[in-house]
Amino acid sequence: MSIFEQYNRNKENIGRLLVKCPDKPGIVAALSNFLYINGADIMESSQYSSDDSSRMFYIRFEFYVEDLLVKRDELEKAFQPLAAKFEIDFDFTYNNIKKRSAIFVSKETHCLLELLWEWQSGDLDTEIPLIISNHEDARSIVEPLGIPYYYIPANKDIRKEVEAKQVALMEEYDIDVLILARYMQILTPEFVERFSNKIINIHHSFLPAFIGARPYERAYNRGVKLIGATSHYVTNDLDEGPIIEQDIERVDHRDNIPSLKKIGQQVERRVLARAVKWHLQDRIIVKDNKTIVFH
Amino acid sequence: MSIFEQYNRNKENIGRLLVKCPDKPGIVAALSNFLYINGADIMESSQYSSDDSSRMFYIRFEFYVEDLLVKRDELEKAFQPLAAKFEIDFDFTYNNIKKRSAIFVSKETHCLLELLWEWQSGDLDTEIPLIISNHEDARSIVEPLGIPYYYIPANKDIRKEVEAKQVALMEEYDIDVLILARYMQILTPEFVERFSNKIINIHHSFLPAFIGARPYERAYNRGVKLIGATSHYVTNDLDEGPIIEQDIERVDHRDNIPSLKKIGQQVERRVLARAVKWHLQDRIIVKDNKTIVFH
Amino acid sequence: MSIFEQYNRNKENIGRLLVKCPDKPGIVAALSNFLYINGADIMESSQYSSDDSSRMFYIRFEFYVEDLLVKRDELEKAFQPLAAKFEIDFDFTYNNIKKRSAIFVSKETHCLLELLWEWQSGDLDTEIPLIISNHEDARSIVEPLGIPYYYIPANKDIRKEVEAKQVALMEEYDIDVLILARYMQILTPEFVERFSNKIINIHHSFLPAFIGARPYERAYNRGVKLIGATSHYVTNDLDEGPIIEQDIERVDHRDNIPSLKKIGQQVERRVLARAVKWHLQDRIIVKDNKTIVFH
Amino acid sequence: MSIFEQYNRNKENIGRLLVKCPDKPGIVAALSNFLYINGADIMESSQYSSDDSSRMFYIRFEFYVEDLLVKRDELEKAFQPLAAKFEIDFDFTYNNIKKRSAIFVSKETHCLLELLWEWQSGDLDTEIPLIISNHEDARSIVEPLGIPYYYIPANKDIRKEVEAKQVALMEEYDIDVLILARYMQILTPEFVERFSNKIINIHHSFLPAFIGARPYERAYNRGVKLIGATSHYVTNDLDEGPIIEQDIERVDHRDNIPSLKKIGQQVERRVLARAVKWHLQDRIIVKDNKTIVFH
């Protein structure tokens, strides 16, 4: 029996509040008091005070409000004075408003398959209104699930036209999150800025080792004993965006480049799936070029 | 630079509040408001609501109060009305009052050595006023560190006399925590009850597999591919106390009983060291036969 | 570039020789000499001498023979005198004769999906001529891949009839390996004996902890900090068959039974996939109630 | 009971043969036949054929010869014709001739302590005739064990004089292995070449990430989610030598530079201890800028 059943609660009535503000005495008391007087039970909370000169404070609440669907606007409105007083940068999100994810993929489908598997088994709480690819390889996986598949051939010479089509689709489908599930195309600065902190990539190395192209080949040449994968938000510095999650797998001298790739695929798919899950649960706050991930 | 240096804070002024009470709306607000109006900055907080019919609420605060040494009594006194109102079972602890640990050891010294290493490098925030053993093996390790070493031969026939001596030493040295670092003697129910939730043991298997004697031999006979270790609070059900931490290491068909023991020692020492560290940092709350560990 | 491309070798020409015999001086020399004079290049070899009173010797060779398809019979025939002399229990297998696997599944499809994913990406070197289930849940996953799906309702009252149908299918399709990918039915001793060391099961606990039913519920009640999964050959002692592979995942006090199950599924699918892969590569020798796994 | 007891064998009679030669048909047969006719039982063997254009073959045998102490010279002499025929680069080593290790340390003692612990518990099969440091910090740890402690102050201006003293000590004590257990001095090319593939270093990052100075500070600034350590043979390219072993530990946004260092120390000590153990057991062959590690 889950906590929701125990407490006879409706998952639809769960909301989340993410807060970022200067660290001042009384901020936890003020926030938790606000939630209490507005009928919100705190189910989970995690806080973090920056350990650098910025002296910022971050907190994530998961709360329960009876009839949240009805009271939502009221709650947000009631929060305004507090937000102003403490200079809070905040975000309310609600279980009953699912984020809408677009998955971008090229030829390799292992990350896409993992995401679809987690999605079908109910572990990725998102809508997937479309999948975009510069190849036809994944069509036969996607269409039986009833998800529209957009084939948009891409290369560096037609980048602007390609991205114009993609942006139009993002708008048409009202997309919140762009997941690059091994989408092997470089994005323009304009595209990246438009979807700032909304594009999640998987890089097939343990960053900052092997930034850039052909990481498994370079890992092989260096003779490493572990290979890794890194999921990060995309910024305009190649493979330098805020890291969300990393993991590794052990390899040895018998592994050649094809076997490193095989082993690496196992790491890539689980690292990307975790990063996407945490993003969808609003567990991540970007702080400069790092992430705070509230588990 | 650490957060203490950044904030120009004195580690002596850090306190912790552990709370257990029935889960009621407003409890987080009430507690954080209490800390705020009493001049305590919340540095870290972790909460948990039970997911069973007990509907209990647990929270751990780490807080900073200027001149905590002076204001301590006042703070605890001020907490009484709140504690009464919410039926709170609570514990205030203070960085400047170190817990006092007694380590019990038999012939194998690997766990003892690990604890002493962590202690010397400043990672175990405790006093170690004495070490007790039913063998002389560890004396040469302990005495150069200036820690009194009590050799108390033990066997099942003289258990009561042995424990009487041990209890006297625990009282003489005002001991808060008893660490069984591979102390291979069974304790009487009276002894265990006297130090309830204060005795930390390391069992050399991944409990509940291989409860009881000779776990590596039985692991070998079963042909397992992983061996583990479990640190738990001692209760009067053999190897059934609340589990604090577990970990494992991979083995294969080439490992025989002696090599399983060697590999196991590596797991035992790191599992026990973690469990002891968390206990000393008041990160553990015992809930029935389980632990809540706030990381 | 793989070793096969480097050496300009054809994967079809790879064979494997598994040997089990009393440990006698000269056995390695005799076997490697046999392979040499029969034109077989040793690509990989792993040996193991038992460390108990049985004094048995085990070795696995992976070898390359030009025109293996043609020379196969000759090679096996040439081995007879050596086998007789050293009392060798042996097995020749060939890359170009794929093992034929039947997957059995009930309602939960995560293990099936993982196997199919690995199979489609070329990592499971097997034919999958059919999938059998006592439920209809997996049909929509299986049929688009062109694999026949046999729905055979099962319960303890009709066990014999059910198994008669299954045995008939195993024979019709000439099946070598039976993979129980979370097939939640007990098998009769007759069925198990018929397919001795050919049925691979995944048990959803770190055996021998939580043998039997409802392991996640019992793990929750015990308050363990790690949950595991175990893949083993099926014998007629419930969950007591030779262990092939085990792995674990970390959990904490916040996990309830449903979340333990979710986390456990991730472990189950990767443990089963590894065990199946090793079986298909003839890396496993069963020795009493244990396995030797040559990596 | 160990395999030695089972077989009633004397550990002193164990030898090892490491072989590197062009990959030719019949090499395994020739080598194992050589061992057989010279009365050597093969206890363990591991082989590897290079997967690149070099087409080299590598094998490690662990063997048992009755009266090895007496027959050693004869065995090595008998090997000459075979070595010549197959152009073998080889090494015979013997359990009864222990390698002699010098440990170099600076101020941080965690790696030294780990090595001494493993050594005292019998897991590092080596003599430790001396320990060298450019600081006095470790003296009190070392001298109670009866190991001479040489304090040789060092800095970049006196590098040649310092190394002259060190070389003299290496010769005086007949040292086979130099272990840099967090010895924070750069070595000259002459020194490195003199002890080629004999100097084992521990670098406090997951190489090739964070080559060079202050890796934990840079890991902190990059916001990585895992930190690692790498043990490698020292060459004249900084942190570019052949990697022997790597491992990692998970960190999160709450970790600052001091806590990354603490966590990192745990990884450093276990990675270095493993690498040293494998070196002492002759499990490592250097191949260009990589290692083959036979487990």
Side-chain angles (χ1 to χ4, degrees):
Chain A
M1 198 178 343
S2 79
I3 190 167
F4 303 108
E5 296 170 88
Q6 272 292 353
Y7 280 62
N8 198 22
R9 280 172 168 177
N10 183 344
K11 242 186 153 172
E12 301 274 298
N13 285 334
I14 304 276
R16 292 186 279 265
L17 170 58
L18 269 81
V19 157
K20 175 185 172 180
C21 64
D23 199 354
K24 280 186 197 154
I27 177 75
V28 180
L31 291 166
S32 49
N33 199 49
F34 163 80
L35 290 169
Y36 173 49
I37 62 180
N38 285 279
D41 266 14
I42 300 172
M43 298 180 62
E44 202 182 309
S45 75
S46 309
Q47 68 172 82
Y48 172 67
S49 297
S50 72
D51 58 349
D52 55 31
S53 55
S54 69
R55 296 201 178 198
M56 294 297 285
F57 172 83
Y58 305 83
I59 198 162
R60 175 187 185 272
F61 290 103
E62 201 162 307
F63 58 81
Y64 183 90
V65 176
E66 208 65 56
D67 296 322
L68 181 57
L69 294 164
V70 177
K71 293 186 186 148
R72 187 146 48 87
D73 292 346
E74 200 180 318
L75 189 73
E76 294 199 24
K77 203 178 149 201
F79 192 64
Q80 298 300 336
L82 198 64
K85 182 179 169 196
F86 282 93
E87 301 170 75
I88 296 175
D89 188 359
F90 68 95
D91 210 1
F92 278 95
T93 60
Y94 305 97
N95 254 1
N96 71 315
I97 305 176
K98 286 193 187 188
K99 288 194 179 56
R100 296 169 65 80
S101 305
I103 305 178
F104 287 64
V105 65
S106 290
K107 278 170 161 276
E108 290 185 36
T109 58
H110 56 286
C111 287
L112 173 66
L113 278 164
E114 184 76 10
L115 292 170
L116 293 174
W117 181 77
E118 294 255 12
W119 178 68
Q120 286 175 283
S121 65
D123 290 338
L124 287 189
D125 204 23
T126 187
E127 311 274 351
I128 304 181
L130 82 162
I131 285 167
I132 288 175
S133 181
N134 55 333
H135 292 279
E136 286 285 15
D137 301 65
R139 184 181 293 277
S140 63
I141 295 164
V142 169
E143 289 190 340
L145 300 173
I147 305 174
Y149 185 83
Y150 287 88
Y151 167 53
I152 307 178
N155 63 58
K156 67 179 166 54
D157 300 325
I158 55 169
R159 199 160 281 160
K160 296 225 166 226
E161 300 87 304
V162 167
E163 289 190 352
K165 285 182 205 164
Q166 292 170 341
V167 168
L169 286 167
M170 297 304 102
E171 287 181 351
E172 180 187 339
Y173 285 100
D174 195 17
I175 293 302
D176 301 300
V177 195
L178 289 74
I179 305 168
L180 309 187
R182 303 282 283 137
Y183 179 65
M184 309 306 283
Q185 293 289 316
I186 304 242
L187 307 172
T188 66
E190 294 71 37
F191 190 90
V192 170
E193 267 151 41
R194 182 172 197 125
F195 303 104
S196 173
N197 293 340
K198 290 182 173 173
I199 312 177
I200 299 174
N201 187 40
I202 179 74
H203 182 76
H204 41 321
S205 86
F206 182 79
L207 289 174
F210 310 124
I211 288 178
R214 308 178 79 77
Y216 291 123
E217 194 164 328
R218 289 151 67 206
Y220 173 78
N221 290 333
R222 181 62 189 92
V224 295
K225 299 298 184 185
L226 306 171
I227 55 166
T230 304
S231 188
H232 62 93
Y233 289 113
V234 176
T235 62
N236 280 316
D237 297 305
L238 181 67
D239 300 334
E240 295 280 5
I243 293 171
I244 303 169
E245 171 66 342
Q246 304 187 286
D247 209 345
I248 55 94
E249 200 74 38
R250 195 162 278 277
V251 297
D252 69 29
H253 62 271
R254 295 172 299 182
D255 290 301
N256 51 27
I257 297 167
S259 75
L260 292 184
K261 277 185 188 165
K262 287 276 183 206
I263 296 166
Q265 289 182 346
Q266 307 277 3
V267 194
E268 292 166 30
R269 60 190 180 121
R270 70 172 186 257
V271 167
L272 179 61
R274 279 186 216 144
V276 168
K277 195 179 299 179
W278 298 337
H279 180 94
L280 294 172
Q281 296 173 343
D282 301 302
R283 296 193 173 277
I284 311 174
I285 297 179
V286 173
K287 170 180 180 288
D288 309 324
N289 202 44
K290 301 185 188 182
T291 61
I292 295 161
V293 184
F294 288 126
H295 293 294
Chain B
M1 198 178 344
S2 79
I3 189 167
F4 302 108
E5 296 170 87
Q6 272 293 354
Y7 280 62
N8 198 22
R9 281 173 167 177
N10 184 344
K11 241 185 153 173
E12 301 275 296
N13 285 335
I14 305 275
R16 294 186 278 265
L17 170 59
L18 270 81
V19 156
K20 175 185 173 180
C21 64
D23 199 355
K24 278 184 197 155
I27 177 73
V28 180
L31 290 166
S32 48
N33 199 49
F34 164 79
L35 289 170
Y36 173 49
I37 62 180
N38 285 279
D41 265 16
I42 299 170
M43 298 179 61
E44 204 181 307
S45 76
S46 310
Q47 68 173 81
Y48 172 67
S49 297
S50 71
D51 58 349
D52 55 31
S53 55
S54 68
R55 295 202 180 196
M56 293 297 285
F57 172 83
Y58 306 83
I59 198 162
R60 176 188 183 272
F61 291 103
E62 201 162 309
F63 59 81
Y64 184 91
V65 176
E66 207 65 55
D67 297 321
L68 181 58
L69 294 164
V70 178
K71 295 189 185 146
R72 186 145 49 87
D73 291 346
E74 203 180 316
L75 189 72
E76 295 199 24
K77 204 179 148 198
F79 192 65
Q80 298 301 337
L82 198 64
K85 183 179 168 194
F86 283 93
E87 300 169 75
I88 297 174
D89 188 359
F90 68 95
D91 210 1
F92 278 95
T93 60
Y94 305 97
N95 254 0
N96 70 315
I97 304 175
K98 287 192 186 189
K99 288 193 179 55
R100 297 168 65 80
S101 305
I103 304 178
F104 288 63
V105 65
S106 289
K107 279 170 159 277
E108 291 185 35
T109 58
H110 57 286
C111 287
L112 173 66
L113 278 165
E114 184 76 8
L115 293 171
L116 293 175
W117 181 78
E118 294 253 13
W119 178 67
Q120 286 175 282
S121 65
D123 290 338
L124 287 189
D125 204 23
T126 187
E127 312 273 351
I128 304 180
L130 82 163
I131 286 167
I132 288 174
S133 181
N134 56 335
H135 292 279
E136 286 286 14
D137 302 64
R139 184 182 293 277
S140 63
I141 295 164
V142 169
E143 291 192 339
L145 301 172
I147 305 173
Y149 186 83
Y150 288 88
Y151 168 53
I152 306 177
N155 64 58
K156 67 179 167 51
D157 300 325
I158 55 168
R159 198 160 281 161
K160 297 227 166 221
E161 301 87 305
V162 166
E163 290 190 351
K165 285 182 206 165
Q166 291 170 342
V167 167
L169 285 167
M170 297 302 103
E171 287 181 351
E172 180 188 339
Y173 285 100
D174 195 18
I175 294 302
D176 301 300
V177 195
L178 290 73
I179 305 167
L180 308 186
R182 303 283 282 138
Y183 180 65
M184 309 305 284
Q185 293 290 316
I186 303 239
L187 307 172
T188 66
E190 294 71 36
F191 190 90
V192 169
E193 268 152 40
R194 181 172 198 124
F195 302 105
S196 173
N197 292 341
K198 290 183 173 171
I199 311 177
I200 299 174
N201 186 41
I202 179 74
H203 183 76
H204 42 319
S205 86
F206 181 81
L207 290 174
F210 309 125
I211 289 177
R214 308 177 79 79
Y216 292 123
E217 194 163 326
R218 289 149 68 205
Y220 173 80
N221 290 333
R222 181 62 189 91
V224 295
K225 300 298 184 185
L226 306 172
I227 54 166
T230 305
S231 188
H232 63 93
Y233 289 111
V234 175
T235 63
N236 280 315
D237 297 306
L238 182 65
D239 301 333
E240 295 279 7
I243 293 172
I244 304 169
E245 170 65 344
Q246 304 187 288
D247 209 345
I248 55 94
E249 200 75 38
R250 194 161 280 277
V251 298
D252 69 29
H253 61 271
R254 297 173 299 181
D255 290 301
N256 51 26
I257 297 167
S259 76
L260 292 183
K261 277 184 186 163
K262 287 275 180 204
I263 295 165
Q265 288 184 346
Q266 308 278 3
V267 194
E268 292 166 30
R269 59 188 182 125
R270 70 172 186 257
V271 167
L272 179 60
R274 278 185 215 143
V276 169
K277 195 179 300 181
W278 298 337
H279 180 93
L280 293 173
Q281 296 173 342
D282 300 302
R283 296 193 173 278
I284 312 174
I285 297 179
V286 173
K287 170 180 180 287
D288 308 325
N289 202 42
K290 300 185 188 183
T291 61
I292 295 161
V293 184
F294 289 126
H295 294 293
Chain C
M1 198 177 344
S2 78
I3 191 167
F4 302 108
E5 297 169 88
Q6 272 293 353
Y7 281 60
N8 198 21
R9 280 173 167 175
N10 184 344
K11 242 186 151 171
E12 301 274 297
N13 285 336
I14 304 275
R16 292 186 280 265
L17 169 58
L18 268 80
V19 157
K20 174 184 173 181
C21 65
D23 198 355
K24 277 185 201 154
I27 178 74
V28 181
L31 290 166
S32 47
N33 199 49
F34 164 81
L35 290 170
Y36 173 50
I37 62 180
N38 284 280
D41 265 15
I42 299 172
M43 298 180 61
E44 204 182 308
S45 76
S46 310
Q47 67 172 81
Y48 172 68
S49 298
S50 72
D51 58 349
D52 55 31
S53 55
S54 69
R55 296 202 180 196
M56 293 298 283
F57 172 83
Y58 306 82
I59 198 163
R60 174 187 185 273
F61 290 102
E62 200 162 309
F63 58 81
Y64 183 90
V65 176
E66 208 66 55
D67 296 321
L68 181 58
L69 294 164
V70 177
K71 295 186 185 149
R72 188 144 49 88
D73 291 346
E74 201 180 317
L75 189 72
E76 294 198 26
K77 201 177 152 202
F79 192 66
Q80 298 300 336
L82 198 64
K85 181 180 169 195
F86 283 93
E87 300 170 76
I88 296 175
D89 189 358
F90 68 94
D91 209 1
F92 279 95
T93 60
Y94 305 97
N95 253 0
N96 71 315
I97 305 175
K98 288 194 186 190
K99 289 193 177 59
R100 297 169 63 81
S101 305
I103 305 178
F104 288 63
V105 65
S106 289
K107 280 171 159 273
E108 290 185 36
T109 58
H110 57 285
C111 286
L112 172 67
L113 278 165
E114 184 76 9
L115 293 171
L116 293 175
W117 180 77
E118 294 255 12
W119 178 67
Q120 287 174 282
S121 64
D123 291 338
L124 287 189
D125 204 23
T126 187
E127 312 273 350
I128 304 180
L130 82 162
I131 286 167
I132 288 176
S133 181
N134 56 334
H135 292 279
E136 285 286 15
D137 302 65
R139 184 182 292 278
S140 63
I141 294 164
V142 168
E143 291 191 340
L145 300 173
I147 305 173
Y149 185 84
Y150 288 87
Y151 168 53
I152 306 177
N155 63 57
K156 64 180 169 52
D157 300 325
I158 56 170
R159 199 160 281 161
K160 296 223 167 229
E161 300 89 305
V162 166
E163 290 190 353
K165 285 182 204 164
Q166 291 170 343
V167 168
L169 286 168
M170 297 304 101
E171 287 181 350
E172 179 187 341
Y173 285 99
D174 194 16
I175 294 302
D176 302 299
V177 195
L178 289 74
I179 306 167
L180 308 186
R182 304 283 281 135
Y183 180 66
M184 309 306 284
Q185 293 289 315
I186 304 239
L187 307 172
T188 67
E190 295 71 35
F191 190 90
V192 169
E193 268 152 41
R194 183 174 197 122
F195 302 104
S196 174
N197 292 340
K198 290 183 173 172
I199 312 177
I200 299 174
N201 186 40
I202 179 74
H203 183 75
H204 41 321
S205 85
F206 182 79
L207 290 173
F210 310 124
I211 288 177
R214 308 178 79 77
Y216 292 124
E217 193 163 328
R218 289 150 68 206
Y220 173 80
N221 291 334
R222 181 61 188 91
V224 296
K225 300 298 184 186
L226 305 171
I227 56 167
T230 303
S231 188
H232 62 94
Y233 289 112
V234 175
T235 62
N236 280 316
D237 297 305
L238 181 65
D239 302 332
E240 295 280 4
I243 293 172
I244 303 169
E245 170 64 343
Q246 305 187 285
D247 209 345
I248 55 95
E249 200 74 39
R250 195 160 278 278
V251 297
D252 69 28
H253 61 272
R254 296 172 299 182
D255 289 301
N256 50 28
I257 297 167
S259 75
L260 291 183
K261 276 183 188 166
K262 288 274 182 206
I263 296 165
Q265 288 183 345
Q266 308 278 2
V267 194
E268 292 166 29
R269 61 189 179 122
R270 70 172 186 259
V271 167
L272 179 61
R274 278 186 216 144
V276 169
K277 195 178 300 181
W278 299 337
H279 180 94
L280 294 172
Q281 296 173 343
D282 301 302
R283 296 192 173 278
I284 311 174
I285 297 178
V286 173
K287 170 180 179 288
D288 309 324
N289 203 43
K290 301 186 190 183
T291 62
I292 295 161
V293 184
F294 289 125
H295 294 293
Chain D
M1 198 178 343
S2 79
I3 188 167
F4 303 107
E5 296 169 88
Q6 273 292 357
Y7 280 63
N8 198 21
R9 279 173 170 177
N10 183 345
K11 240 185 154 173
E12 301 274 297
N13 285 336
I14 305 276
R16 293 186 277 265
L17 170 58
L18 270 81
V19 157
K20 174 183 172 180
C21 65
D23 199 355
K24 278 184 198 155
I27 177 75
V28 180
L31 290 167
S32 49
N33 199 49
F34 164 80
L35 289 170
Y36 172 50
I37 62 180
N38 284 279
D41 266 16
I42 299 171
M43 298 179 62
E44 202 181 309
S45 76
S46 311
Q47 67 173 81
Y48 172 68
S49 297
S50 72
D51 58 349
D52 55 32
S53 55
S54 69
R55 296 203 178 194
M56 294 297 285
F57 173 82
Y58 305 82
I59 198 162
R60 176 188 184 270
F61 290 102
E62 201 162 307
F63 58 81
Y64 184 90
V65 176
E66 208 65 56
D67 296 321
L68 181 57
L69 293 164
V70 177
K71 294 188 186 148
R72 184 144 48 89
D73 292 345
E74 202 179 318
L75 189 72
E76 294 199 24
K77 204 178 149 199
F79 192 64
Q80 297 301 336
L82 199 64
K85 182 179 168 195
F86 283 94
E87 299 169 78
I88 296 176
D89 188 359
F90 69 95
D91 210 2
F92 278 95
T93 60
Y94 305 97
N95 254 1
N96 70 315
I97 305 175
K98 287 194 187 188
K99 287 192 180 58
R100 298 169 63 80
S101 305
I103 305 178
F104 289 62
V105 66
S106 289
K107 278 169 160 276
E108 291 185 34
T109 58
H110 57 286
C111 286
L112 173 66
L113 279 164
E114 184 76 7
L115 293 171
L116 293 175
W117 180 78
E118 295 254 12
W119 178 68
Q120 286 175 282
S121 64
D123 291 337
L124 288 189
D125 204 24
T126 188
E127 312 273 352
I128 304 181
L130 82 163
I131 286 166
I132 288 175
S133 181
N134 56 334
H135 292 279
E136 286 285 14
D137 302 65
R139 184 181 292 276
S140 63
I141 295 164
V142 169
E143 291 190 340
L145 300 173
I147 305 173
Y149 186 83
Y150 288 88
Y151 168 53
I152 307 177
N155 63 58
K156 67 178 166 52
D157 300 325
I158 55 169
R159 198 160 281 159
K160 296 225 166 224
E161 300 88 306
V162 166
E163 290 190 352
K165 284 182 206 167
Q166 291 170 340
V167 168
L169 286 167
M170 297 303 102
E171 288 181 350
E172 181 188 339
Y173 285 99
D174 196 18
I175 293 302
D176 301 300
V177 196
L178 290 74
I179 305 167
L180 309 187
R182 303 283 283 140
Y183 179 65
M184 309 305 284
Q185 293 288 316
I186 303 239
L187 306 172
T188 67
E190 294 72 36
F191 190 91
V192 169
E193 267 151 40
R194 182 173 197 124
F195 302 105
S196 174
N197 292 340
K198 290 184 172 170
I199 312 176
I200 299 174
N201 186 42
I202 179 73
H203 183 75
H204 41 319
S205 86
F206 181 79
L207 289 174
F210 310 124
I211 289 177
R214 309 178 78 78
Y216 292 124
E217 194 163 325
R218 289 151 66 205
Y220 173 79
N221 290 334
R222 182 61 188 93
V224 296
K225 300 298 185 186
L226 305 171
I227 56 167
T230 304
S231 189
H232 62 93
Y233 289 112
V234 176
T235 62
N236 279 315
D237 298 306
L238 181 67
D239 300 334
E240 296 279 5
I243 293 172
I244 304 168
E245 170 66 342
Q246 304 187 287
D247 208 346
I248 56 95
E249 199 74 39
R250 196 161 277 278
V251 297
D252 68 29
H253 61 271
R254 297 172 300 181
D255 289 301
N256 51 27
I257 297 167
S259 75
L260 292 183
K261 277 184 187 165
K262 287 275 182 206
I263 296 165
Q265 289 183 345
Q266 307 278 3
V267 194
E268 292 166 30
R269 60 190 181 123
R270 70 172 186 257
V271 167
L272 179 61
R274 278 184 215 143
V276 168
K277 195 179 298 179
W278 298 337
H279 180 93
L280 294 172
Q281 295 173 342
D282 301 303
R283 296 193 174 277
I284 312 174
I285 296 179
V286 174
K287 170 179 180 288
D288 309 324
N289 201 44
K290 301 185 189 183
T291 62
I292 296 161
V293 184
F294 289 125
H295 293 293

